[in-house]
Amino acid sequence: MATTTLLIPTPDGQADAFAAFPDDGRRHPGVLLYMDVFGPRPRLEEMARELAGHGYFVLVPHIFYREGAAPLLELPEHIGEEERPALFEQVMPFYLAHTAERVLTDADAYLAYLAERPEVADGPVGVVGYCLGGVLALRTAAARPDRVAAVAGFHPGALLTDEADSPHLLAPKVTAEVHFGIAEGDMTPEEFGRLNEALEAGGVRHGNEIYPGTQHGFTMADTSAYSPEGTRRHWDRLLPLLARTLTH
């Protein structure tokens, strides 16, 4: 795999980012990978490299770039239950400042960057998100249905809210195939049913699941939430989704 760090021009500055892709001189489908709330770090780079190994150009932008280049937080090598409250307190201002308007402005910049990279094949892209990144993935797909063919979100953030711009209300605008891998406890059965009903009413192809025995953050091996079984299931769902929706 080839890897690189880069800067992506946006209307509000430059987003620092990481990319991984096969070093074979060929063009490969693009995948936009949205970070979890703790931001870019070795675990996300490791996941990007693994995904790239299956034949994709994977772009991982630092979505909180307006607050400064990554890392914004001094993270321990392993994020345990004791460290979580203080880290969430530090990151919450960045999270709250990242409005839906900013999400869409940045999404256009990231998708434009992928379209311009010589290593990226023509055709639609996939958008994958972890934690809050799952919400960003759905918003991106709804805003750019012409560009996004696959959406995957794992232990996603709040997909159903009482706000007028709740992510689940965007379903009618989505043409991509969708998979959300939900951690146990992240949604009630009632909420899970409402999410599926919204996608079905919007005509969205989806295969959402609640992953048994998992908790929020289960793909992140640098946290106490990590589940090897849940992470394997995540790859087992993600890779076929991308293979059947993106052009190789």
Side-chain angles (χ1 to χ4, degrees):
M1 291 303 100
T3 60
T4 185
T5 56
L6 47 95
L7 295 173
I8 301 173
T10 79
D12 293 331
Q14 291 185 313
D16 45 311
F18 173 85
F21 49 96
D23 189 16
D24 58 7
R26 298 168 55 196
R27 303 175 74 198
H28 297 274
V31 175
L32 173 58
L33 192 159
Y34 281 124
M35 65 189 218
D36 66 353
V37 76
F38 293 133
R41 59 193 190 280
R43 174 54 178 166
L44 287 179
E45 294 178 5
E46 176 185 325
M47 295 178 79
R49 286 194 297 270
E50 182 161 352
L51 182 53
H54 293 273
Y56 300 98
F57 183 103
V58 184
L59 178 67
V60 187
H62 174 217
I63 66 170
F64 297 149
Y65 68 88
R66 293 173 181 84
E67 317 299 332
L72 293 176
L73 304 181
E74 187 175 338
L75 296 172
E77 287 188 12
H78 187 268
I79 301 170
E81 291 302 316
E82 291 184 3
E83 292 84 6
R84 278 180 179 271
L87 291 173
F88 274 117
E89 186 176 348
Q90 291 179 63
V91 80
M92 193 54 64
F94 311 144
Y95 170 79
L96 294 175
H98 200 63
T99 61
E101 291 76 16
R102 285 185 172 185
V103 172
L104 299 187
T105 297
D106 291 347
D108 280 342
Y110 304 149
L111 293 175
Y113 182 85
L114 284 171
E116 293 166 2
R117 285 289 302 212
E119 302 92 344
V120 178
D122 295 333
V125 304
V127 187
V128 182
Y130 299 88
C131 183
L132 77 102
V135 172
L136 273 55
L138 187 59
R139 291 197 184 281
T140 300
R144 294 299 304 272
D146 58 319
R147 292 282 289 122
V148 180
V151 168
F154 300 96
H155 42 87
L159 293 170
L160 296 97
T161 73
D162 295 327
E163 302 300 320
D165 66 346
S166 177
H168 78 289
L169 299 176
L170 297 170
K173 299 180 179 180
V174 175
T175 59
E177 184 176 345
V178 172
H179 174 80
F180 287 114
I182 313 292
E184 281 189 347
D186 272 3
M187 282 187 181
T188 66
E190 195 172 75
E191 290 170 331
F192 185 67
R194 283 177 57 208
L195 173 63
N196 290 332
E197 287 169 8
L199 293 174
E200 287 158 13
V204 179
R205 293 164 296 156
H206 68 91
N208 301 328
E209 294 180 51
I210 295 177
Y211 287 17
T214 61
Q215 57 182 303
H216 187 75
F218 61 80
T219 62
M220 296 298 145
D222 58 354
T223 76
S224 58
Y226 179 61
S227 164
E229 295 80 9
T231 302
R232 279 196 294 272
R233 182 184 291 257
H234 134 279
W235 288 120
D236 289 345
R237 301 299 184 267
L238 175 59
L239 294 175
L241 170 65
L242 296 178
R244 65 178 171 262
T245 55
L246 304 185
T247 303
H248 280 270

